[in-house]
Amino acid sequence: MNENICAISTSLGVGAISIVRTSGPDVVSIVNKIFKGNDLTRVNTHTVNYGFIHDNGEIIDEVLVMVMRAPKTFTMEDVVEINCHGGIATTNKILELLISNGCRLAERGEFTRKAYLNGRIDLIEAEGINDLILSDTDANRKFAVSRVMGNLSKKIEDNRNILVGLQARLEVNFDYPEETDAEDMTHSIVIEELKKIEKSLKELLSSAKDGKIIKDGINVAIIGRPNVGKSSILNHLLDEKKAIVTDIAGTTRDIVEGSITIDGIKLNLIDTAGIRETDDIVEKIGVDKSKEEALNADLIILVLNNNEEISQEDLELLNINSNVNKIVFINKCDLDKKIDESKLEGNIIVRGNTIDTYGLDELKNKIKEMFNLNKINTGDYNYLSNARQIALVKNALESIENAMTSVENEVPLEMIAQDISDAYSTLGEIIGSTYKDELLDELFSKFCLGK
Amino acid sequence: MKYDIIVVGGGHAGCEAANASAKQGFKTALITSNINNIADMPCNPSIGGTAKGIVVREIDALGGLMGRIADISHLQIKMLNSGKGPAVKSLRAQGDKVTYPKNMVNALREIETLDIIEAMVENLIVEDETIKGIITANGDKYLCDALILTTGTYLKSKILVGSTSKAEGPHGEESSKHLSDELKKLGFNILRLKTGTPQRLDPNTVDYSVLTEELGDDVPWTFSFDNPPSYDIEKQRKCYLVYTNEETHRIIRENLTKSAMYGGYAEGIGPRYCPSIEDKVVRFSDKERHQLFLEPESNFYPDLYLQGFSTSMPIDVQEKMVHSLKGLENVKILKYAYAIEYDAIDPLQMKPSLESKIIKNLYTAGQINGTSGYEEAAGQGLIAGINAGLNLKGKDPLILKRNESYIGVLIDDLVTKGTKEPYRLLTSRAEYRLILRHDNADLRLRQYGYEVGLISEEQIKRLNKKKSDIETLTEELKNIKVSKNNLNESLKEIFEDTLNNGYTLYNLLKRPEVKIEYLVEYLNNKYTKEVLDIVEIAIKYEGYIAKTNREVEKLLKLEDKKIPKDIDYDKVMNIASEARQKLKLVRPETIAQATRISGVNPADISILSVYLKKNYSKDTNHE
């Protein structure tokens, strides 16, 4: 923790300016050694200082240097940021000078880690900042921003507060059995409280799905028999020729991925090799893989041709995984209709023609409707979004459900209290705090105790 | 004069320490400022209570005195939480404040290796950071190899009533004026704590007709695992419930600035769990009444103790306050309430063995360590006595873990988290409380008592018999089956015709509605109620107990990861600064202890573990 670290914070390339950031106990004096201008060790904190970076007297660049002293900084250590003129050579030279004067090149995410370790931010916020850096769509960015602001932490905290409140009410009964004015906790009171918590945790989990959609996007598998126009749909959506398109059946052998953004939500498009029984080994690998992709997708678009009858094979594809959302896209509507749509009853159908892109806007609209993207867009972004968080909430929910079963069996309340306390500390793990003392504080602030 | 071990202070910690030391065969002296005050109960007459009652059982299991003395010296005894589950049940007795000390002194006088000496200790003899002895107020020197300080509230104690204060201990006893300064000079951080005690009332002036009676249980109980009950259930004394009212609260609010606490005459920090009545009224202003108890103190003098009414108001206000209570309108106050301030040492400066980190062979126990309560004091005294002895024998100390006992929880909390207020045990402090029960204290701890020599052959034989009975009974329950043809009346009522196949008794017992007494007639052997109860709990709550045991395993793994004593935390890179500070202060002995320090986060623990693995993997065999 006592190390001085440095890194180029802007993306490296030719730009108007680049920022080199440093953090650590000695960074002010380190930067001062290579800075010509005011004595940085004497300037006020949180000031911008004009001057030059030099290498043994040789001027490297004209810069603005921000000096921010601990603890009111991102890492809660001294932080100095050098705004220099962009350009790979100049920026790298400054970095090199910092390293030769006592800084160490920061590891990926190390500034954030310092912020976490120094107690500036909690675990969810740390994860949120990482997502902010990596976010590539607008919704994703908003989501990340809201996590940095601690919205999710607050939701978790709210649930923990309910749990610790319930726990305290139970503990009063255990530790002060003779307080006749204290509420006598019964199984029926406890079950009501547990139901509330169960509901709230379940909501958090169902929002996790939306959270995942915002963060990772929707995986869309485009499937169909060979040469029905899957790659054309993909390419039109992506607006670029990425998959190889010919009219020879079976030319797409790899899963070609690309992303588009609809209303700020990312769609990860997966083209699949045309699915048919084949003896060609290379193609067979592609086919197996596409079935697998289809099973893992959030949405399957089954492409059929208007001018062909629906085959047994098509129907099998339609039922490939009944739990996944599906849209049937009937292509080549400019050709004579031979398809018997009555066999597709109950499915969402979009008609179109990939040659003149007719029908593709409707396809996008159907996807928006299906995933309720408008709602997500205006939502409050309090979604759980990574596997670790989801797993922990599930564990907490399991403890609550266990408690509810025990209440029904009239198991003594101190056992049930154990489940509640498990749920409480599991939720604490999400935000990185699990202290027993919180319970005692709650106990003594809410209840007048003691004989 | 030279002793192996000297114990300074004759309170509950001192008595247990002296007993444990002397019974291990060490020539021991108990030095107290007033022999007549040995094992005195200056405050509350009760022994036991939630969590504390289990501590008394643990003391008895280890070979201490408190349980068996309380059994022969009480006015009333009851099982608290009897309507709740097995893990929160605990005994509480109303001790007789005359017979308890008398019986304790008699027990101590029986020990040949123990001398009881009356003197006020004012200074310590320390050489090479090692304790060598003590000096009394009149200049006498007593030398020793190990010293146990159990000075209670007597370090610079000050009695506060309204704006007046007197430098004295409870009962107007003389307090030690210099010892805490000497400790400070040696490097101890001194805390200033506060507690209080309520009024004593004349029983002949109480109007009992408006008060609710609180009776003892009508089944006999003992704290001790060895002796049968020796009291007459019918002769138990009554306690009474009293409530404060609007008028009481008004008097308190109007006179608040006259209280020592609120008027700014006190500096010590009082306990949140045992607040003064003015604290209760101020902090919980929306509460219409507060509950008080009227409890007898002894069969040999009249005083009734007004539990819950401790205050530092001046006496004229106290008169008004007490007389506002329904049933006490005309009561005569025999002794006024007071607050007491005293010095304590920072428990973070001691090891889990209760030996000081600063001075070798110096142990501290009881209120001097920042705790409150007779039971907490006695538990520490016992451990300090045992460990001073083990130390002189060159053996490893007895450190009870959090999964083994409330005493372990207490000491670990003290040395790991420190305390800002007088510390009281609560069941909620014990994360493994489902296995730290009243019923199994002997199974948990008696073997330790035997190993250090405080438990006799005969006692350990009885324990082993109990253990084997538990095994046989469990086997029987697993092997004997019942089916619908041989149901007894109780089982018929529960199952009617629903039991088609044969079920083992073990599986039947898992049903919430089946009690072990319904099954006794199917068994081949006879068992004591104790054994039946313990097996019933183990089977009925198997799931929860197993879960606790899994948590315990995690804990034990971390307890196994020892942190080298010479570790330099400044060399551990990337630990958060607050965590580093705390680790340097507490110097935890194991990774498990480190995880319990507030301000040390999981991230710090992983960094520390990696550091230990890198730098000490040869010294530590674990991982």
Side-chain angles (χ1 to χ4, degrees):
Chain A
M1 219 57 199
N2 292 324
E3 287 177 284
N4 300 294
I5 59 168
C6 63
I8 300 169
S9 296
T10 43
S11 66
L12 195 55
V14 184
I17 59 159
S18 293
I19 299 173
V20 181
R21 180 152 72 161
T22 65
S23 172
D26 314 310
V27 293
V28 177
S29 57
I30 290 172
V31 176
N32 200 41
K33 280 193 259 178
I34 59 168
F35 180 74
K36 201 175 146 193
N38 288 337
D39 182 351
L40 297 179
T41 60
R42 288 165 174 234
V43 300
N44 289 335
T45 184
H46 293 77
T47 53
V48 180
N49 303 278
Y50 171 80
F52 299 90
I53 296 292
H54 67 90
D55 179 7
N56 285 323
E58 180 197 345
I59 300 295
I60 305 296
D61 198 5
E62 183 185 23
V63 294
L64 291 174
V65 174
M66 261 151 267
V67 175
M68 293 163 276
R69 291 181 206 277
K72 284 189 179 171
T73 69
F74 177 61
T75 56
M76 295 182 79
E77 301 175 334
D78 285 353
V79 169
V80 178
E81 291 184 2
I82 303 168
N83 287 29
C84 58
H85 292 96
I88 299 167
T90 319
T91 319
N92 268 338
K93 179 70 191 173
I94 294 173
L95 194 67
E96 207 182 297
L97 280 172
L98 288 169
I99 292 169
S100 58
N101 279 285
C103 279
R104 172 171 66 69
L105 189 63
E107 289 160 26
R108 188 182 162 81
E110 196 171 358
F111 286 95
T112 311
R113 199 172 78 219
K114 279 191 170 209
Y116 168 67
L117 290 175
N118 284 333
R120 161 86 160 56
I121 54 176
D122 71 22
L123 210 50
I124 285 189
E125 287 170 334
E127 285 170 6
I129 286 170
N130 194 36
D131 289 342
L132 185 60
I133 296 163
L134 299 175
S135 68
D136 50 6
T137 69
D138 193 43
N140 204 341
R141 190 189 55 72
K142 271 196 230 162
F143 180 35
V145 166
S146 107
R147 280 208 290 162
V148 172
M149 304 296 282
N151 277 0
L152 179 57
S153 306
K154 197 180 162 295
K155 276 229 160 139
I156 300 282
E157 277 300 340
D158 288 348
N159 276 294
R160 290 184 92 224
N161 285 340
I162 300 173
L163 284 169
V164 80
L166 175 59
Q167 180 95 12
R169 283 156 73 191
L170 287 166
E171 299 297 335
V172 167
N173 278 212
F174 302 149
D175 275 322
Y176 295 89
E178 291 179 303
E179 286 286 325
T180 48
D181 286 343
E183 167 191 37
D184 193 15
M185 292 297 277
T186 58
H187 284 87
S188 55
I189 298 177
V190 174
I191 195 82
E192 286 313 310
E193 294 296 320
L194 289 174
K195 276 183 193 160
K196 282 184 217 157
I197 295 160
E198 186 199 26
K199 183 165 170 274
S200 163
L201 291 181
K202 279 190 171 161
E203 279 170 9
L204 209 53
L205 275 180
S206 70
S207 74
K209 220 176 78 196
D210 294 341
K212 195 173 165 297
I213 285 173
I214 292 172
K215 186 160 171 281
D216 300 332
I218 300 168
N219 292 331
V220 184
I222 306 175
I223 62 170
R225 277 185 289 139
N227 209 27
V228 289
K230 301 184 295 290
S231 300
S232 306
I233 294 176
L234 175 80
N235 289 340
H236 282 303
L237 287 174
L238 288 178
D239 235 350
E240 61 181 279
K241 293 247 184 253
K242 201 165 182 187
I244 319 150
V245 184
T246 68
D247 51 5
I248 305 161
T251 40
T252 309
R253 304 237 169 127
D254 298 320
I255 311 288
V256 178
E257 297 190 45
S259 303
I260 59 165
T261 304
I262 300 181
D263 286 358
I265 301 295
K266 201 162 77 174
L267 296 193
N268 304 312
L269 301 173
I270 301 157
D271 184 21
T272 56
I275 294 176
R276 61 166 187 177
E277 294 307 314
T278 175
D279 295 332
D280 179 337
I281 304 269
V282 178
E283 194 175 307
K284 186 146 190 347
I285 294 169
V287 171
D288 287 348
K289 209 170 170 191
S290 60
K291 278 190 177 164
E292 193 188 305
E293 288 287 338
L295 287 173
N296 291 328
D298 301 308
L299 168 66
I300 291 173
I301 299 176
L302 173 66
V303 186
L304 300 173
N305 272 342
N306 188 45
N307 62 338
E308 288 177 79
E309 304 236 357
I310 295 174
S311 67
Q312 194 53 40
E313 213 178 319
D314 289 331
L315 289 175
E316 273 173 30
L317 286 176
L318 192 62
N319 298 318
I320 199 165
N321 184 346
S322 57
N323 297 324
V324 178
N325 293 297
K326 278 186 211 92
I327 295 177
V328 177
F329 186 86
I330 300 177
N331 198 9
K332 306 186 185 171
C333 284
D334 53 327
L335 301 178
D336 286 348
K337 181 170 179 172
K338 286 188 187 164
I339 195 164
D340 176 6
E341 286 189 25
S342 69
K343 287 186 180 171
L344 301 171
E345 221 164 274
N347 287 289
I348 296 168
I349 296 172
V350 177
R351 292 175 193 78
N353 176 0
T354 52
I355 293 178
D356 55 12
T357 73
Y358 155 70
L360 290 180
D361 280 343
E362 200 196 337
L363 180 62
K364 283 188 197 172
N365 283 335
K366 280 281 184 272
I367 295 173
K368 271 162 78 170
E369 268 173 39
M370 193 172 259
F371 288 91
N372 231 339
L373 296 188
N374 295 331
K375 184 185 142 245
I376 291 179
N377 241 347
T378 54
D380 59 359
Y381 298 102
N382 283 331
Y383 307 116
L384 289 171
S385 73
N386 70 31
R388 186 184 76 89
Q389 294 172 6
I390 293 170
L392 286 169
V393 175
K394 277 188 181 158
N395 289 345
L397 182 60
E398 225 168 76
S399 296
I400 295 300
E401 284 167 346
N402 196 33
M404 292 171 75
T405 316
S406 294
V407 172
E408 276 163 27
N409 289 328
E410 303 215 332
V411 168
L413 289 171
E414 77 257 28
M415 314 272 169
I416 292 154
Q418 197 65 44
D419 288 323
I420 295 170
S421 128
D422 287 349
Y424 176 75
S425 29
T426 308
L427 289 181
E429 275 178 53
I430 298 178
I431 52 174
S433 67
T434 47
Y435 292 121
K436 197 88 190 158
D437 301 346
E438 294 164 14
L439 173 64
L440 295 181
D441 289 341
E442 173 80 11
L443 202 62
F444 294 123
S445 64
K446 290 269 169 70
F447 298 97
C448 178
L449 297 170
K451 302 207 309 177
Chain B
M1 201 52 191
K2 166 90 200 296
Y3 288 91
D4 295 326
I5 296 173
I6 292 178
V7 179
V8 179
H12 304 280
C15 291
E16 296 291 349
N19 174 61
S21 158
K23 288 255 177 75
Q24 289 180 89
F26 292 101
K27 196 174 169 225
T28 306
L30 173 66
I31 304 183
T32 169
S33 60
N34 184 345
I35 286 184
N36 295 324
N37 269 344
I38 288 178
D40 178 38
M41 293 192 271
C43 192
N44 189 321
S46 65
I47 289 177
T50 49
K52 292 158 167 274
I54 303 178
V55 171
V56 181
R57 292 279 277 181
E58 292 177 354
I59 290 169
D60 189 74
L62 286 164
L65 297 173
M66 184 173 247
R68 67 180 170 92
I69 302 296
D71 282 340
I72 56 171
S73 327
H74 61 73
L75 304 169
Q76 184 200 79
I77 188 165
K78 69 195 315 184
M79 182 62 86
L80 299 175
N81 281 332
S82 56
K84 301 197 183 85
V88 291
K89 285 188 174 47
S90 71
L91 280 178
R92 196 202 50 216
Q94 295 297 129
D96 186 315
K97 290 192 178 186
V98 172
T99 51
Y100 185 90
K102 207 175 93 196
N103 289 327
M104 180 61 85
V105 170
N106 289 343
L108 293 176
R109 291 220 188 271
E110 277 172 26
I111 309 171
E112 283 177 17
T113 43
L114 177 65
D115 288 348
I116 299 176
I117 297 165
E118 191 171 80
M120 174 61 82
V121 173
E122 287 288 12
N123 212 339
L124 304 177
I125 306 170
V126 176
E127 285 165 23
D128 300 332
E129 296 178 347
T130 306
I131 194 78
K132 296 291 177 193
I134 58 104
I135 304 171
T136 66
N138 51 22
D140 294 341
K141 284 184 185 170
Y142 293 89
L143 302 180
C144 62
D145 294 326
L147 182 74
I148 304 171
L149 286 180
T150 64
T151 51
T153 57
Y154 282 84
L155 292 185
K156 282 203 179 170
S157 43
K158 201 159 120 184
I159 302 278
L160 305 163
V161 180
S163 59
T164 65
S165 73
K166 272 187 260 174
E168 60 187 28
H171 307 315
E173 287 291 317
E174 204 183 331
S175 64
S176 167
K177 292 168 194 70
H178 307 293
L179 195 51
S180 80
D181 290 337
E182 291 305 321
L183 290 168
K184 203 171 184 174
K185 272 188 222 155
L186 290 168
F188 288 85
N189 298 327
I190 302 294
L191 314 172
R192 190 80 174 152
L193 299 177
K194 183 202 79 127
T195 186
T197 195
Q199 300 81 1
R200 312 306 200 262
L201 309 176
D202 178 354
N204 298 319
T205 56
V206 174
D207 176 6
Y208 297 99
S209 67
V210 296
L211 304 182
T212 318
E213 290 180 358
E214 288 273 302
L215 306 173
D217 283 352
D218 51 13
V219 288
W221 296 109
T222 60
F223 285 109
S224 167
F225 287 96
D226 303 300
N227 304 328
S230 63
Y231 65 98
D232 185 345
I233 288 177
E234 301 300 321
K235 285 190 180 156
Q236 293 184 85
R237 297 276 302 270
K238 289 171 188 163
C239 299
Y240 301 89
L241 264 177
V242 182
Y243 292 99
T244 62
N245 53 48
E246 281 303 315
E247 175 64 6
T248 324
H249 298 183
R250 189 191 59 78
I251 298 168
I252 291 170
R253 262 184 242 113
E254 279 177 7
N255 292 286
L256 212 50
T257 52
K258 294 183 191 160
S259 138
M261 265 311 281
Y262 283 86
Y265 307 110
E267 46 174 329
I269 300 168
R272 286 180 297 178
Y273 49 80
C274 185
S276 64
I277 190 68
E278 48 264 42
D279 247 355
K280 292 185 198 178
V281 169
V282 169
R283 287 181 48 216
F284 299 91
S285 54
D286 53 339
K287 240 189 135 181
E288 285 167 13
R289 62 177 197 179
H290 295 275
Q291 179 182 312
L292 312 172
F293 292 86
L294 210 48
E295 303 173 342
E297 291 203 330
S298 172
N299 279 333
F300 299 91
Y301 65 87
D303 299 24
L304 292 178
Y305 180 93
L306 186 53
Q307 180 87 267
F309 214 57
S310 95
T311 178
S312 56
M313 287 284 191
I315 56 177
D316 58 318
V317 182
Q318 288 194 33
E319 287 281 350
K320 283 186 209 153
M321 283 161 58
V322 171
H323 292 137
S324 74
L325 301 171
K326 219 174 153 203
L328 305 184
E329 291 88 347
N330 299 310
V331 86
K332 190 176 166 210
I333 301 179
L334 301 175
K335 284 178 198 141
Y336 291 98
Y338 60 82
I340 180 165
E341 275 192 340
Y342 55 98
D343 281 356
I345 60 172
D346 183 352
L348 290 177
Q349 290 178 302
M350 65 191 188
K351 302 176 187 172
S353 63
L354 297 181
E355 189 187 2
S356 162
K357 287 177 185 169
I358 300 167
I359 306 294
K360 281 193 205 88
N361 298 354
L362 173 62
Y363 293 77
T364 50
Q367 270 170 310
I368 187 173
N369 287 342
T371 61
S372 106
Y374 310 144
E375 306 80 1
E376 284 89 343
Q380 291 171 70
L382 175 60
I383 297 297
I386 289 173
N387 283 336
L390 288 172
N391 180 356
L392 296 189
K393 287 180 196 163
K395 291 188 180 170
D396 282 344
L398 174 65
I399 295 167
L400 299 175
K401 298 192 184 78
R402 298 183 73 90
N403 62 307
E404 290 177 320
S405 71
Y406 272 96
I407 299 175
V409 171
L410 160 72
I411 294 175
D412 182 68
D413 276 351
L414 287 177
V415 303
T416 308
K417 296 179 175 163
T419 191
K420 291 192 176 74
E421 63 186 338
Y423 178 104
R424 180 217 199 274
L425 265 174
L426 300 161
T427 73
S428 33
R429 295 196 197 262
E431 53 278 66
Y432 312 110
R433 72 176 163 207
L434 298 189
I435 56 173
L436 301 185
R437 301 188 308 267
H438 166 88
D439 61 82
N440 67 359
D442 54 343
L443 298 174
R444 292 186 269 125
L445 300 172
R446 196 140 254 206
Q447 184 64 30
Y448 291 129
Y450 177 65
E451 281 160 20
V452 296
L454 298 182
I455 290 295
S456 68
E457 288 295 337
E458 195 202 326
Q459 285 171 308
I460 205 73
K461 261 185 208 152
R462 260 206 311 275
L463 175 74
N464 290 334
K465 167 84 168 77
K466 185 172 170 184
K467 281 184 183 166
S468 74
D469 281 354
I470 289 171
E471 272 173 40
T472 332
L473 173 56
T474 312
E475 279 311 301
E476 280 203 58
L477 292 169
K478 280 184 179 163
N479 294 327
I480 298 172
K481 286 187 177 180
V482 290
S483 59
K484 61 179 172 186
N485 308 321
N486 61 344
L487 291 186
N488 63 22
E489 288 308 311
S490 322
L491 292 179
K492 255 183 212 158
E493 216 167 276
I494 298 167
F495 294 106
E496 290 172 19
D497 296 326
T498 56
L499 272 192
N500 287 320
N501 306 318
Y503 279 87
T504 62
L505 297 177
Y506 191 96
N507 283 334
L508 285 184
L509 193 51
K510 281 186 172 296
R511 309 275 186 106
E513 62 274 34
V514 177
K515 292 183 176 156
I516 198 161
E517 62 220 52
Y518 305 162
L519 309 179
V520 170
E521 61 178 88
Y522 297 100
L523 302 171
N524 302 319
N525 297 300
K526 280 229 166 282
Y527 299 95
T528 60
K529 185 168 184 321
E530 252 191 314
V531 168
L532 290 170
D533 285 350
I534 227 167
V535 171
E536 181 176 28
I537 293 166
I539 294 172
K540 249 192 185 16
Y541 309 115
E542 197 177 24
Y544 278 97
I545 291 173
K547 206 165 152 195
T548 301
N549 285 331
R550 281 197 296 278
E551 291 301 312
V552 166
E553 263 166 49
K554 281 191 216 163
L555 167 83
L556 294 182
K557 256 187 209 156
L558 294 179
E559 292 286 2
D560 267 350
K561 292 190 181 170
K562 305 271 186 260
I563 301 176
K565 290 195 165 49
D566 62 344
I567 187 170
D568 180 355
Y569 286 104
D570 285 328
K571 288 196 179 139
V572 189
M573 287 304 171
N574 289 329
I575 285 190
S577 36
E578 189 196 352
R580 188 190 309 279
Q581 235 174 32
K582 289 281 180 66
L583 287 166
K584 281 164 120 173
L585 183 69
V586 176
R587 300 203 65 83
E589 300 197 348
T590 66
I591 288 283
Q593 195 191 348
T595 62
R596 293 190 290 267
I597 303 172
S598 54
V600 177
N601 290 313
D604 305 310
I605 296 295
S606 25
I607 291 166
L608 179 60
S609 303
V610 171
Y611 178 83
L612 291 181
K613 220 182 267 182
K614 263 191 193 163
N615 296 278
Y616 290 92
S617 48
K618 280 173 216 143
D619 304 347
T620 49
N621 295 322
H622 310 286
E623 290 194 45

